[in-house]
Amino acid sequence: MSYLDQLNDVQRNAATHIDGPVMVLAGAGSGKTRVLTYRIAHLIDTGADPYNILSLTFTNKAAREMKNRISQLVGEGNSKALWMGTFHSVFAKILRYEAEKIGYPSNFTIYDSDDSKSLIRTIIKEMNLDDKVYKPQLVQRRISSAKNGLISGTEYQNDTIIYNDDLQAKKPLLGKIYGTYEKRCFKASAMDFDDLLYKTNILLKNHSDVLLKYQDKFKYILVDEFQDTNFAQSNILKMLAARHENICVVGDDAQSIYAFRGANIQNILQFKSLYPDVAVFKLEQNYRSTKTIVAAANQVIDNNKEQLKKDVWTANQDGDSIKLIKCLSESEEGTFIASEILDIKDNENASEDDFAILYRTNAQSRALEEALRRKNIKYRIYGGLSFYQRKEIKDLLAYFKLCSNPNDEEAFKRVLNYPARGIGKTTESKIMMAASEEGKSPLAIVNNVNDAHLPINAATKNRILEFAHLIKSFQNLSLEKDAYETAQHIASATGILKEFYSDRTPEGISRYENVQELLSAIKEFTEIELSEEEKGSENPRSLSVFLEEVSLLTDTDIKDNKDDESPKVSMMTIHSAKGLEFPYVFIAGLEEDLFPSQLSVNSRSDLEEERRLFYVALTRAEKKATLSFAATRFKYGNMQYNEPSRFISEISQDLIESPTIQKIEKRELISKKNYALVNHAVRKKLVKPSQSAGSAISIEEINQLTVGTKVNHDRFGKGEITGLEGEIPNRKATVEFQNIGKKQLLLKFAKLQILK
DNA sequence: AGTATCGTCGTTTTT
DNA sequence: CGACGATACT
């Protein structure tokens, strides 16, 4: 078969070893997606029914791309029958189908993390707890990790170890909050993201008939990015695969960067003990990067203790050295990166699309953006606020959700007084109180506001009735009409469209555009051809069905703005760069306390995760990686002085090229103030000397220098000081070098060593 | 009920 | 610094 010839030996063996458990350890850029897609194609070619194949990814984008590639190999008819999607979307689909088994309606809504945080906030308030002690975000994290660890609210409350932990943290009521949160979600017929995995576990564990059904259905299971699975996910896999044990997991422990979110690296490290007869394949040939980049990445990751040893190598060219740029400030870092981009673009005939600037935190993007704007370089920022998290979108979606699930409490609260219709906070809390007392949904209270004996005046009651009628009319419409008609009607009948249309401020215009974009996405949805399955159902293009599809989409799933397809530099956090590759990659902000993050330096495992993150960043680069750090940076409005990241010194010097001193002295934007700041930075280094090789000499050492002192310089070699002038921090030395003659050096930058 | 000002907080985030 | 939520006004 021709397509198998496109694989190397290991890849082919991994793709064609069909029976029994398989683990593919795939180094960065080693073609793991290729193996997965060809494996699926091969399965189908050798007689497997696509309907029996389950392939799980972590992003919708990855699933879509893989599906496309497979349909090119085996035809669209075959690829359509595959179950291919994210963990969350596949199990949401199963949960909708089996919902009643666990007491949920099949039209349950999915709470995103804002929704669930808001519910947690309400609960904390209702319990009269101090939200300084019970910070909603912390509570949310706690609940999330409990669910990921498959611990229910009741189990949490009955577990003495957990309780003592919480007691010691002076938060004994966390379990109570979790329990209440669980009940409230259930009452609202809502599941949060974690529930999609948690409830699937419950479903499969408590209903052996259901488990058997899916075990038989999914004869072949494939999992991408296995290193990022958490306990809830690996447990589902374990249950589903128990019957046929045809499970193939692909991953790279060196690229596990989501442990902070519950991903458990042990899943991949201990896969072998779970399936003793597993066939392990190591993909070690990198097809993406130069030898230099591969070598540097290997050196870095070698510092991690906890890893499965791999020997990643490449047949590619040596390529350029890794460039290291030392900057005075974040703005200078931006400027330098911008001019470097222009340089490379001219010299190597590259387009903006070939560049990526990666950083540890989103906050770093601002200074970089400004620099690119100043030099008129087009860029695109990934991440930040996602489309579906925007207020205007969430507001409109809340109307949709309320139509499809009248129990949805968060959606109700969102739309009750939006757009403003004179139903304020006080009235809202009266309604919510009544709902919880009578055990009804808030919408049910509103529908019968005349019967409920609420202390609400007549005028407000009328406004509430009007609201109730409005929602009722939307609900009726959504049953008959398709999603687009319903949505269009809701957007205009509520006045939301008009409100944004008449707002001519830039924000208003952008909101209007966003709403239009949502509407056109809905239009697109209604125009998708019906599948066989859907032809039987009542209103297959209803708003409810749209919601089911959309609630698990994220920003990267939305197509780019079609109006502007000009090439752009990509800017994003390293986390969101996983799985991507670019010819030229800049990694900015390589400073201690930023990368590695300050919160990681006290634990070895956290630090190792940061290192893996750096490994991911480096291995995104095909041709050239450029690292930079800034000696000073604004943090929370204060100037901070930084030492270079320890990760820089983990790359051997012969792979790194630092800019020449002359180039540094020619730099733009160096003010006297900046010099003073660097002086501080140098002083700080004195207290805690940096291990990084090739750093400038300390002030103490500068003071020791006299005419006649013998020195060594990284690039210029050995020499003798013949003159000294200027005061610290701008003290300069004239050095007579043996090979190249006289040079003037600014001592705070010069990488001099004093020779005895 | 809607707005102005104050205070607090601050990693990463495929879903 | 700057986003967002809570509180205090009008």
Side-chain angles (χ1 to χ4, degrees):
Chain A
M1 260 162 295
S2 66
Y3 61 81
L4 286 177
D5 296 340
Q6 295 170 30
L7 301 177
N8 69 30
D9 288 350
V10 193
Q11 288 174 332
R12 192 177 322 108
N13 290 342
T16 53
H17 184 109
I18 291 179
D19 288 315
V22 171
M23 174 160 76
V24 181
L25 291 171
S30 64
K32 74 183 162 73
T33 316
R34 212 181 173 85
V35 168
L36 270 177
T37 48
Y38 282 55
R39 183 182 171 87
I40 293 173
H42 181 70
L43 274 171
I44 295 174
D45 265 356
T46 50
D49 186 340
Y51 183 80
N52 291 134
I53 301 174
L54 170 65
S55 172
L56 295 166
T57 60
F58 274 79
T59 65
N60 294 300
K61 197 174 160 217
R64 208 169 36 237
E65 279 168 9
M66 211 182 287
K67 204 158 190 166
N68 286 338
R69 286 165 77 166
I70 290 168
S71 63
Q72 281 166 19
L73 292 173
V74 297
E76 208 175 317
N78 278 323
S79 81
K80 258 193 173 162
L82 284 169
W83 275 57
M84 162 119 42
T86 64
F87 274 89
H88 289 81
S89 69
V90 165
F91 296 123
K93 196 165 160 187
I94 291 179
L95 282 171
R96 287 205 193 279
Y97 201 74
E98 312 286 347
E100 63 185 57
K101 296 243 166 43
I102 53 167
Y104 265 84
S106 71
N107 64 345
F108 62 83
T109 26
I110 297 171
Y111 277 178
D112 67 18
S113 40
D114 287 342
D115 296 330
S116 70
K117 199 195 279 173
S118 149
L119 178 54
I120 288 167
R121 191 174 278 126
T122 333
I123 292 170
I124 290 168
K125 236 178 265 169
E126 283 173 3
M127 290 171 69
N128 285 319
L129 297 172
D130 184 354
D131 64 3
K132 303 262 164 358
V133 180
Y134 293 93
K135 291 182 187 151
Q137 212 182 67
L138 181 137
V139 177
Q140 189 181 29
R141 267 205 302 269
R142 198 80 185 165
I143 294 177
S144 170
S145 62
K147 283 185 182 171
N148 287 161
L150 302 182
I151 299 166
S152 73
T154 320
E155 284 160 353
Y156 189 105
Q157 289 174 75
N158 292 338
D159 189 312
T160 49
I161 297 173
I162 295 177
Y163 180 74
N164 285 331
D165 268 6
D166 286 350
L167 196 63
Q168 215 151 36
K170 301 218 161 53
K171 296 174 181 62
L173 291 171
L174 277 171
K176 186 90 188 296
I177 301 175
Y178 179 15
T180 313
Y181 173 77
E182 230 180 6
K183 287 193 199 93
R184 283 285 270 280
C185 285
F186 183 71
K187 254 178 65 186
S189 306
M191 293 197 199
D192 64 22
F193 286 147
D194 300 319
D195 278 332
L196 297 175
L197 307 172
Y198 176 74
K199 303 282 186 200
T200 302
N201 270 285
I202 302 285
L203 174 75
L204 298 179
K205 197 177 111 202
N206 296 347
H207 301 270
S208 50
D209 52 326
V210 179
L211 176 61
L212 197 63
K213 176 169 137 195
Y214 289 102
Q215 280 176 336
D216 255 346
K217 175 167 171 48
F218 300 131
K219 293 203 170 64
Y220 304 96
I221 300 174
L222 299 96
V223 187
D224 193 11
E225 308 277 17
F226 185 65
Q227 76 279 359
D228 288 329
T229 50
N230 60 31
F231 182 64
Q233 288 162 326
S234 66
N235 206 53
I236 293 175
L237 293 173
K238 195 166 125 190
M239 287 193 280
L240 284 179
R243 207 170 157 73
H244 298 285
E245 289 208 345
N246 280 325
I247 178 169
C248 168
V249 301
V250 180
D252 180 5
D253 56 298
Q255 292 184 68
S256 159
I257 55 175
Y258 282 100
F260 74 96
R261 251 179 105 161
N264 188 356
I265 193 169
Q266 296 305 325
N267 286 340
I268 197 163
L269 297 177
Q270 293 176 3
F271 194 72
K272 232 178 176 162
S273 33
L274 185 61
Y275 300 100
D277 56 338
V278 63
V280 179
F281 299 94
K282 285 189 186 180
L283 305 183
E284 295 177 312
Q285 180 173 5
N286 173 305
Y287 294 94
R288 178 186 295 154
S289 314
T290 64
K291 282 201 176 72
T292 304
I293 292 164
V294 169
N298 284 344
Q299 289 170 358
V300 167
I301 204 66
D302 206 40
N303 291 286
N304 273 6
K305 281 210 181 94
E306 212 170 348
Q307 59 169 323
L308 300 168
K309 279 280 172 207
K310 279 186 300 299
D311 250 320
V312 180
W313 60 279
T314 185
N316 293 342
Q317 298 178 334
D318 285 350
D320 290 344
S321 298
I322 288 170
K323 199 160 183 174
L324 174 64
I325 318 271
K326 306 175 180 187
C327 303
L328 297 173
S329 65
E330 54 196 329
S331 67
E332 199 189 81
E333 183 182 44
T335 309
F336 208 108
I337 290 176
S339 36
E340 195 71 9
I341 288 175
L342 293 177
D343 271 5
I344 298 179
K345 223 184 95 175
D346 289 348
N347 296 335
E348 323 236 342
N349 193 24
S351 112
E352 280 85 348
D353 283 336
D354 297 333
F355 295 89
I357 308 176
L358 308 182
Y359 34 80
R360 180 65 179 76
T361 67
N362 281 310
Q364 288 167 252
S365 71
R366 186 166 296 196
L368 299 165
E369 264 182 89
E370 272 170 29
L372 295 194
R373 256 203 310 269
R374 269 202 304 270
K375 293 210 190 305
N376 287 320
I377 302 172
K378 290 209 166 193
Y379 61 87
R380 179 194 294 119
I381 295 197
Y382 291 86
L385 200 57
S386 96
F387 182 75
Y388 288 98
Q389 281 178 311
R390 283 174 197 171
K391 188 183 176 300
E392 61 272 21
I393 299 303
K394 287 209 73 169
D395 286 338
L396 201 47
L397 283 177
Y399 276 100
F400 303 167
K401 285 183 175 181
L402 200 54
C403 285
S404 118
N405 170 16
N407 293 331
D408 191 329
E409 182 181 325
E410 288 304 310
F412 175 87
K413 282 198 286 197
R414 203 162 245 284
V415 302
L416 180 63
N417 195 33
Y418 180 82
R421 50 172 71 87
I423 307 175
K425 288 258 165 63
T426 349
T427 315
E428 180 194 303
S429 59
K430 283 175 192 162
I431 295 170
M432 298 311 296
M433 291 279 272
S436 98
E437 271 166 30
E438 298 180 32
K440 290 179 183 163
S441 72
L443 193 63
I445 299 291
V446 156
N447 280 330
N448 299 302
V449 71
N450 280 327
D451 306 340
H453 301 286
L454 288 175
I456 294 174
N457 68 44
T460 312
K461 259 187 195 173
N462 269 332
R463 288 193 286 256
I464 292 178
L465 276 176
E466 240 173 79
F467 170 75
H469 284 140
L470 190 72
I471 299 297
K472 190 86 213 150
S473 74
F474 293 166
Q475 284 172 337
N476 290 336
L477 199 69
S478 73
L479 290 177
E480 297 163 25
K481 306 285 189 181
D482 74 21
Y484 180 67
E485 271 188 75
T486 321
Q488 182 71 49
H489 176 81
I490 293 176
S492 33
T494 51
I496 291 177
L497 263 188
K498 207 192 292 166
E499 181 192 325
F500 294 145
Y501 187 68
S502 46
D503 182 352
R504 295 281 88 192
T505 62
E507 292 79 22
I509 293 169
S510 135
R511 287 195 191 105
Y512 183 75
E513 283 171 356
N514 285 334
V515 170
Q516 287 299 350
E517 203 174 319
L518 177 63
L519 289 173
S520 76
I522 297 177
K523 179 88 187 146
E524 228 169 88
F525 162 76
T526 59
E527 283 163 359
I528 299 171
E529 202 186 321
L530 292 182
S531 70
E532 287 305 316
E533 197 183 338
E534 286 170 329
K535 277 178 187 156
S537 69
E538 196 139 315
N539 189 352
R541 288 290 171 260
S542 73
L543 203 50
S544 318
V545 181
F546 173 76
L547 277 179
E548 287 167 16
E549 308 241 320
V550 91
S551 33
L552 293 170
L553 292 187
T554 53
D555 227 27
T556 41
D557 300 320
I558 300 165
K559 290 185 216 98
D560 278 340
N561 191 351
K562 314 117 204 151
D563 306 336
D564 184 7
E565 281 173 344
S566 59
K568 292 179 192 65
V569 172
S570 298
M571 298 174 60
M572 66 191 93
T573 62
I574 300 162
H575 282 90
S576 30
K578 201 173 83 171
L580 306 177
E581 55 188 17
F582 301 88
Y584 307 98
V585 169
F586 292 82
I587 307 171
L590 273 164
E591 295 135 37
E592 282 294 299
D593 293 349
L594 177 63
F595 193 16
S597 142
Q598 187 168 14
L599 291 114
S600 72
V601 293
N602 293 321
S603 114
R604 185 180 59 93
S605 67
D606 287 353
L607 187 64
E608 293 202 348
E609 174 145 319
E610 296 282 310
R611 190 174 281 115
R612 292 193 294 269
L613 197 54
F614 184 50
Y615 177 81
V616 168
L618 270 176
T619 52
R620 297 312 94 198
E622 295 167 359
K623 292 186 179 159
K624 182 164 188 169
T626 306
L627 317 180
S628 61
F629 74 87
T632 66
R633 184 182 293 279
F634 275 99
K635 198 176 187 186
Y636 309 145
N638 293 314
M639 186 76 85
Q640 278 236 329
Y641 310 102
N642 314 301
E643 291 174 50
S645 168
R646 68 191 73 191
F647 295 151
I648 295 174
S649 55
E650 292 175 3
I651 301 173
S652 66
Q653 285 301 302
D654 54 317
L655 298 177
I656 296 183
E657 163 213 345
S658 281
T660 64
I661 289 146
Q662 285 85 343
K663 195 154 183 185
I664 288 176
E665 283 174 334
K666 262 193 277 167
R667 285 193 294 211
E668 309 161 47
L669 295 170
I670 300 182
S671 67
K672 281 191 177 149
K673 210 162 98 199
N674 279 341
Y675 277 122
L677 293 170
V678 168
N679 183 27
H680 274 278
V682 171
R683 216 182 291 259
K684 195 184 165 197
K685 239 184 240 166
L686 239 180
V687 183
K688 194 180 150 198
S690 148
Q691 332 85 312
S692 91
S695 58
I697 62 176
S698 71
I699 290 180
E700 270 175 353
E701 286 171 304
I702 292 176
N703 283 329
Q704 288 170 20
L705 299 174
T706 55
V707 171
T709 307
K710 299 242 184 350
V711 292
N712 184 46
H713 185 275
D714 269 358
R715 284 183 60 247
F716 304 136
K718 286 184 181 148
E720 186 178 323
I721 294 184
T722 57
L724 284 161
E725 58 182 290
E727 287 310 316
I728 291 173
N730 293 333
R731 196 158 169 81
K732 286 183 202 163
T734 312
V735 182
E736 180 82 38
F737 287 101
Q738 287 169 9
N739 296 327
I740 56 164
K742 263 189 194 170
K743 283 262 172 213
Q744 274 228 324
L745 301 176
L746 200 51
L747 287 166
K748 68 182 165 211
F749 289 126
K751 284 173 286 184
L752 286 179
Q753 289 154 280
I754 300 171
L755 299 175
K756 280 166 202 145

